[in-house]
């Protein structure tokens, strides 16, 4: 992997994009660029669930032309789901080029708490590193401090470090 392209899917704050760009560069030591925003992913909206299907978003991302050795990370402020789960923070193509993350449930406001942008940015960086790790073929990690540990609630994200453990780091280096 040489480059990560960050693609805002509709309205995403520029401060958040800048924080994710900086965080990915730091944690994955890779060049990261922010693309002009794509339209809102209305094609993936499910009226019954009032959520957006992450798998459909991945298919749309995958249809975009991508330079070699590049990963594409979509960022949305909408709530994501896959059919078997209530929600997902993100989804990735395992060993594929594309991933998507949502900030919807990473905001303190979602839990009835006052806004905390620093926390939001930190959580989004962790989820972004996590999903991009999957695109590099890395599976979930048993070390709860490692960014590749699975997270089914925001408290679990807060337990994790933004970086990869030594084991996962060596797996990334192999790519
Ligand atoms: Zn995962
Ligand atoms: Zn790990």
């Amino acid at each position: 992997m040489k480059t990560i392209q960050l693609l805002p899917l509709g309205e995403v704050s520029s401060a958040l994009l800048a924080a994710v760009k900086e965080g990915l560069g730091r944690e994955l030591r890779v060049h990261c660029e922010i693309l002009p925003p794509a339209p809102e992913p209305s094609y993936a909206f499910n009226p019954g669930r009032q959520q957006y299907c992450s798998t459909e978003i991945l298919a749309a991302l995958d249809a975009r032309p991508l330079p070699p050795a590049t990963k594409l990370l979509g960022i949305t402020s909408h709530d994501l789901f896959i059919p078997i789960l209530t929600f997902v923070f993100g989804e990735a193509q395992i060993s594929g080029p594309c991933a998507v993350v949502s900030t919807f449930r990473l905001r303190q406001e979602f839990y009835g708490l006052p806004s905390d942008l620093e926390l939001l940015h930190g959580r989004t960086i962790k989820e972004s590193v996590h999903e991009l790790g999957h695109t590099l073929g890395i599976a979930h990690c048993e070390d709860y401090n490692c960014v590749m540990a699975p997270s089914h609630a925001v408290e679990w994200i807060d337990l994790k470090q933004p970086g990869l453990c030594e084991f996962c780091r060596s797996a990334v280096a192999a790519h």
Side-chain angles (χ1 to χ4, degrees):
M1 175 174 61
K2 283 205 183 76
T3 305
I4 296 167
Q5 292 186 341
L6 270 182
L7 178 66
L9 303 171
E11 181 86 38
V12 178
S13 112
S14 52
L16 179 114
L17 290 169
V20 172
K21 176 183 169 166
E22 201 266 330
L24 288 175
R26 188 180 57 235
E27 301 302 337
L28 294 173
R29 304 192 183 286
V30 67
H31 176 69
C32 188
E33 58 194 30
I34 300 171
L35 299 179
E40 297 285 350
S42 47
Y43 52 85
F45 185 67
N46 182 307
R49 297 183 59 134
Q50 295 286 307
Q51 289 173 304
Y52 291 72
C53 178
S54 54
T55 312
E56 285 180 36
I57 294 177
L58 284 182
L61 293 179
D62 202 20
R64 294 173 64 101
L66 204 62
T70 302
K71 302 290 186 188
L72 178 62
L73 176 68
I75 301 192
T76 175
S77 50
H78 295 298
D79 199 18
L80 297 177
F81 78 97
I82 59 173
I84 56 163
L85 293 176
T86 317
F87 75 93
V88 291
F89 292 121
E91 190 188 351
Q93 294 174 323
I94 309 293
S95 302
C98 304
V100 61
V101 294
S102 161
T103 58
F104 190 81
R105 291 171 191 256
L106 304 180
R107 298 167 303 127
Q108 286 292 74
E109 301 92 305
F110 180 78
Y111 306 96
L113 297 166
S115 170
D116 185 335
L117 288 183
E118 201 177 324
L119 189 57
L120 170 65
H121 294 172
R123 287 170 174 170
T124 311
I125 291 167
K126 290 177 190 178
E127 280 310 292
S128 299
V129 175
H130 180 100
E131 297 305 341
L132 286 164
H134 285 320
T135 69
L136 295 169
I138 303 176
H140 283 153
C141 183
E142 288 177 14
D143 179 351
Y144 70 88
N145 273 311
C146 174
V147 77
M148 291 312 294
S151 310
H152 303 296
V154 81
E155 291 81 4
W156 298 21
I157 299 175
D158 293 340
L159 275 179
K160 300 197 273 195
Q161 300 299 312
L164 300 154
C165 73
E166 221 166 290
F167 176 80
C168 292
R169 190 169 290 281
S170 59
V172 167
H175 281 77

